[in-house]
Every structure is written in C-alpha cells, then in structure tokens.
Amino acid sequence: MKKIMTFLVLLVAINAIYSQNKILTDAFNEKIKINWETSYKEALNKSKKEKKPVLIYFTGS
C-alpha cells in the first residue's frame, strides 16, 4: 500500500510540474506550446497585436 501511495504522489507531482508549459498536438499533429503571460500589460499588447481575446485567471488562498 505504501508503494502505491508513493507512486500516486509522485505521479501528481510530475503532472503539476509539467502542466504549466504543455506541448500539445492539434488535429494536424503539429506541436503547440502554451506560454502563459505573467504581465497584464504585456498580455494586452500581445492580444491587440494578434487580435485575440485575453483570458484572465484569478486565484487566491
């Protein structure tokens, strides 16, 4: 039982580490890398330049 719990904790930790900058594949099997913007001003400038909407994700404790 201890080995199973250790494995599950390790699996969750690895997933948390790699979830922020995932490399995905689209319908044409082209790789897509997700890069999150951390600056609001930079995100707005980028969205205006690319004519795309901005998604703002708020978190708190």
Side-chain angles (χ1 to χ4, degrees), residues 19-41:
S19 65
Q20 294 298 316
N21 289 317
K22 287 186 178 180
I23 297 177
L24 305 173
T25 55
D26 63 3
F28 303 105
N29 286 331
E30 295 179 9
K31 289 185 178 180
I32 303 169
K33 185 171 182 180
I34 299 173
N35 293 318
W36 297 99
E37 295 291 333
T38 56
S39 168
Y40 179 71
K41 288 181 182 180

Side-chain angles (χ1 to χ4, degrees), residues 2-59:
K2 189 174 181 179
K3 288 182 181 182
I4 293 172
M5 290 303 291
T6 304
F7 175 73
L8 290 175
V9 169
L10 183 62
L11 189 64
V12 169
I14 290 172
N15 186 36
I17 291 169
Y18 288 104
S19 65
Q20 294 298 316
N21 289 317
K22 287 186 178 180
I23 297 177
L24 305 173
T25 55
D26 63 3
F28 303 105
N29 286 331
E30 295 179 9
K31 289 185 178 180
I32 303 169
K33 185 171 182 180
I34 299 173
N35 293 318
W36 297 99
E37 295 291 333
T38 56
S39 168
Y40 179 71
K41 288 181 182 180
E42 290 176 15
L44 282 180
N45 289 335
K46 186 175 180 181
S47 80
K48 287 178 185 177
K49 180 180 173 186
E50 297 178 5
K51 297 182 181 176
K52 293 182 179 179
V54 177
L55 172 68
I56 301 173
Y57 181 66
F58 294 96
T59 60

